[in-house]
Amino acid sequence: DLEPWYDRIRAELKKTGCVRYPTGRLRHLTLAGNDEDKTGDIFRQAVNSPVQGSASDIVIYSMGELYRIIRKKKIPARFMLTVHDSCLLECWDREDVIEELKGYLDLIMKDILPKKFTWLKTPMKVDVSIGKSWDTLK
């Protein structure tokens, strides 16, 4: 049942004018007078923000960890872009590089993340797709 979550978020928003993400970040939202449509939209944002924002924080942190590993170990790969909860890396067409990156991603998701975000109770899973271009990923 999500009602207790909604109630807690609504109360926090009314009291402080912001919502706190599990990662500690705050999002400030202003309740707009008595306009019910705007107030409903603000509450929707308040409920979604901690979930979506924390997912974003986890992706950014994971990218930072992987970037440090790539630099330290001089792995021939580089970040190209992110889309929501996905990261696109370019790496040279070598199976050993791909397997090495998969191993580090697995380490980050299953070992490093739970230590950094102790509130995270859901095990993280890594899906890797490989292709010559974005539209050919498999």
Side-chain angles (χ1 to χ4, degrees), residues 90-105:
E90 179 181 65
C91 64
W92 290 252
D93 195 11
R94 290 179 22 206
E95 191 63 33
D96 60 323
V97 171
I98 294 166
E99 289 305 314
E100 186 176 11
L101 286 171
K102 282 183 185 179
Y104 287 127
L105 283 168

Side-chain angles (χ1 to χ4, degrees), residues 55-56 59 82-87:
S56 177
V59 168
T82 63
V83 178
H84 303 292
D85 63 350
S86 300
C87 302

Side-chain angles (χ1 to χ4, degrees), residues 104-120:
Y104 287 127
L105 283 168
D106 200 50
L107 172 74
I108 290 166
M109 292 295 155
K110 293 180 179 170
D111 187 45
I112 296 173
L113 277 180
K115 290 176 184 166
K116 170 69 177 175
F117 302 107
T118 56
W119 51 267
L120 191 59

Side-chain angles (χ1 to χ4, degrees), residues 7-138:
D7 293 341
R8 193 172 81 241
I9 294 293
R10 282 186 185 108
E12 181 182 0
L13 180 62
K14 285 179 182 176
K15 180 179 178 182
T16 66
C18 60
V19 291
R20 182 176 298 277
Y21 298 12
T23 56
R25 198 158 42 109
L26 294 174
R27 177 164 185 199
H28 297 273
L29 295 161
T30 305
L31 289 171
N34 294 327
D35 187 339
E36 272 189 46
D37 289 339
K38 287 184 181 177
T39 300
D41 186 52
I42 303 252
F43 279 130
R44 181 192 55 76
Q45 289 178 46
V47 168
N48 288 337
S49 289
V51 175
Q52 292 173 336
S54 294
S56 177
D57 292 344
I58 289 168
V59 168
I60 290 167
Y61 180 81
S62 301
M63 285 176 55
E65 288 295 312
L66 186 59
Y67 178 75
R68 281 189 272 290
I69 292 169
I70 288 171
R71 296 268 316 232
K72 181 179 181 182
K73 303 219 176 256
K74 297 182 173 41
I75 298 170
R78 65 181 174 186
F79 283 95
M80 300 300 290
L81 59 96
T82 63
V83 178
H84 303 292
D85 63 350
S86 300
C87 302
L88 182 68
L89 282 85
E90 179 181 65
C91 64
W92 290 252
D93 195 11
R94 290 179 22 206
E95 191 63 33
D96 60 323
V97 171
I98 294 166
E99 289 305 314
E100 186 176 11
L101 286 171
K102 282 183 185 179
Y104 287 127
L105 283 168
D106 200 50
L107 172 74
I108 290 166
M109 292 295 155
K110 293 180 179 170
D111 187 45
I112 296 173
L113 277 180
K115 290 176 184 166
K116 170 69 177 175
F117 302 107
T118 56
W119 51 267
L120 191 59
K121 303 301 181 209
T122 304
M124 295 285 105
K125 181 182 164 200
V126 177
D127 290 324
V128 176
S129 298
I130 301 166
K132 296 279 183 194
S133 65
W134 196 348
D135 65 334
T136 64
L137 295 178
K138 53 183 169 150

